[in-house]
Amino acid sequence: MLAGVPLIGWVIRAALDSGVFDSVWVSTDHAKIAEVAEEFGAQVHRRSPKVSKDSSSSLDAIQEFLRLHKEVDITGNIQATSPCLHPNHLQDATRKIREDGCDSVFSVVRHHHFRWQEVKTGGSVNIKPLNLDPANRPRRQVWDGELCENGSFYFATRELIEKGYLQGGKMAYYEMLPEFSIDIDIDIDWPVAEQRVLRFGYFGKDQLEKVKLLVCNIDGCLTDGQVYLSAGGEELVSWNIRDTAGISMVQEQGVEVCLISSRDCHIHKVLAKKTDCQLEQNAANKMEVLELWKNKKKLSWEQVAYMGNDESDVECLKKAEVSGIPHNASSDTVKAVGYTCRNSAGRGAVCEFTDYILLLSEQARAKSQQKKTLKSVCS
């Protein structure tokens, strides 16, 4: 899971929405990966053990696929480890093959790094410059830099691949901006990728709307679901101060927060009062309550966010435009949700989800402002 979405889901979404492919496939021998691929709308090529070894290359798998699919003339090999891919990147690259007659096109990013090579001679180690003259060292601000593969995608014709190449013939590169050029190779790349994809990832075709209402299930989201009894028989629960701070943050940004529970608990009333949230208890049908709140506030589903954790929340999670679950939510909710938190219930999951809502709101405002600016320029 990367920023609440399966890693491979980011690139499948971009590939499907680009509209340039006759079909989108995921090549794998792993049942879970195949399941996720199909959930996101891709077809699955179950590759053979022969091309599924640790030593197998992408080219091996593509050649096997082409032997089974004679109708394919051009392949776009998209790598799941580059999650900031957007549909327009694929559309622009495809034109270079279809309209410019290229045999291969691959993605690059421009770097401005001066490189040196380590030279070992005898028992000593020296270095020599690779891409600069130290006597005439340029300022990096005025230097064109170098083009480096960023690993996002490789397009090639069938003829070239059958010869054993992904790059060759009439070649062209497609330059991606640095913010889109994240590539996950090792563990420390992961947190960087997560922050980058939240800022620059592709979230889908639909225009984002600013969330106006967040409804959160109390037990199993805001609390960890544990109930404690004192010696006097008093019921006790705990919650994380980060989660209540997250609720305050979205409220300050104009998002109304409502709490919902399927049981009656005095502490829930205290919590609702403390967080200044409307509360609905004994909710036998959470969907009915959610729809009532939405209609009363005259909102569309695109303006509603919902956070749940069990089977009783599934319908609400499916209906709300923005949906989230804690890391330890029940398996029933996983396929219904848009964002799966890294944190568990009562351990910062609500705060993490409110951060996600605020980020989406920022993106919605940015897109709206871009649209207004374009309209102003055009007029």
Side-chain angles (χ1 to χ4, degrees):
M1 302 299 293
L2 179 73
V5 175
L7 176 61
I8 200 169
W10 290 100
V11 294
I12 293 175
R13 180 190 289 162
L16 289 170
D17 286 356
S18 71
V20 300
F21 300 108
D22 293 312
S23 58
V24 175
W25 297 75
V26 169
S27 171
T28 183
D29 64 337
H30 193 283
K32 183 61 179 177
I33 293 175
E35 181 183 342
V36 172
E38 289 174 339
E39 286 174 7
F40 273 80
Q43 299 179 66
V44 175
H45 166 65
R46 296 186 180 273
R47 63 185 185 219
S48 68
K50 184 180 179 181
V51 299
S52 300
K53 303 173 184 176
D54 290 342
S55 58
S56 299
S57 67
S58 297
L59 181 61
D60 294 332
I62 295 170
Q63 287 176 327
E64 179 186 71
F65 178 85
L66 287 179
R67 286 194 292 270
L68 297 172
H69 295 271
K70 302 297 184 182
E71 75 281 4
V72 177
D73 298 315
I74 300 168
T75 63
N77 175 31
I78 301 171
Q79 308 223 95
T81 49
S82 298
C84 285
L85 182 69
H86 280 242
N88 67 288
H89 299 146
L90 300 169
Q91 291 162 354
D92 294 342
T94 304
R95 279 193 285 272
K96 292 180 181 290
I97 284 191
R98 286 181 169 162
E99 297 176 14
D100 299 342
C102 293
D103 299 303
S104 59
V105 180
F106 53 95
S107 58
V108 300
V109 62
R110 193 174 296 271
H111 284 168
H112 292 78
H113 300 305
F114 295 137
R115 295 184 296 111
W116 295 74
Q117 182 179 11
E118 186 180 59
V119 181
K120 297 179 180 180
T121 53
S124 61
V125 178
N126 295 302
I127 56 173
K128 68 176 182 179
L130 286 178
N131 63 350
L132 79 155
D133 177 2
N136 295 285
R137 184 184 177 93
R139 290 193 308 131
R140 288 197 296 176
Q141 297 93 323
V142 297
W143 177 44
D144 287 340
E146 295 181 318
L147 298 177
C148 302
E149 292 182 24
N150 67 356
S152 188
F153 59 78
Y154 300 83
F155 282 82
T157 61
R158 168 186 282 273
E159 183 181 0
L160 191 64
I161 292 171
E162 287 178 342
K163 291 178 180 178
Y165 301 100
L166 274 176
Q167 297 158 301
K170 182 181 178 181
M171 289 187 291
Y173 65 86
Y174 177 77
E175 184 175 348
M176 292 173 65
L177 294 174
E179 54 263 38
F180 302 111
S181 296
I182 186 71
D183 188 23
I184 303 172
D185 284 325
I186 54 178
D187 288 347
I188 61 172
D189 293 334
W190 195 267
V192 176
E194 193 149 48
Q195 291 300 314
R196 189 80 66 84
V197 79
L198 284 171
R199 293 286 174 185
F200 302 109
Y202 174 67
F203 285 83
K205 284 182 177 179
D206 296 335
Q207 175 69 37
L208 292 172
E209 286 200 38
K210 189 176 185 296
V211 170
K212 297 288 188 181
L213 172 66
L214 165 61
V215 177
C216 180
N217 187 20
I218 296 177
D219 294 317
C221 290
L222 197 52
T223 72
D224 61 7
Q226 299 288 329
V227 178
Y228 308 91
L229 289 177
S230 69
E234 185 181 8
E235 187 175 293
L236 305 171
V237 298
S238 65
W239 60 81
N240 193 302
I241 193 68
R242 287 192 297 151
D243 290 335
T244 53
I247 288 174
S248 296
M249 282 194 299
V250 293
Q251 287 172 328
E252 289 172 3
Q253 296 300 316
V255 179
E256 186 172 355
V257 182
C258 296
L259 304 179
I260 193 168
S261 175
S262 57
R263 66 191 190 96
D264 192 350
C265 175
H266 172 69
I267 297 177
H268 290 174
K269 296 175 184 176
V270 175
L271 183 56
K273 185 176 181 179
K274 182 177 180 62
T275 55
D276 194 24
C277 295
Q278 184 176 343
L279 170 66
E280 181 72 23
Q281 297 192 100
N282 291 323
N285 189 323
K286 293 178 181 176
M287 186 62 208
E288 286 184 1
V289 176
L290 179 61
E291 193 153 20
L292 181 65
W293 277 338
K294 178 191 78 75
N295 293 337
K296 186 176 180 180
K297 301 173 193 306
K298 298 180 180 179
L299 302 175
S300 65
W301 284 114
E302 287 73 22
Q303 296 170 304
V304 176
Y306 188 90
M307 187 170 196
N309 77 303
D310 61 28
E311 187 178 0
S312 65
D313 297 305
V314 169
E315 193 176 354
C316 297
L317 291 168
K318 288 180 177 178
K319 202 71 176 177
E321 178 68 15
V322 181
S323 58
I325 57 174
H327 178 73
N328 57 340
S330 72
S331 58
D332 300 312
T333 62
V334 174
K335 292 184 180 180
V337 76
Y339 185 91
T340 301
C341 296
R342 297 184 304 274
N343 294 311
S344 299
R347 300 290 184 270
V350 173
C351 182
E352 181 182 342
F353 187 54
T354 55
D355 283 344
Y356 178 66
I357 290 171
L358 291 175
L359 179 63
L360 294 182
S361 296
E362 281 181 29
Q363 292 177 331
R365 278 196 296 269
K367 287 186 177 182
S368 176
Q369 188 59 43
Q370 288 171 358
K371 193 173 181 180
K372 289 177 182 177
T373 303
L374 180 60
K375 185 176 181 181
S376 175
V377 170
C378 291
S379 61

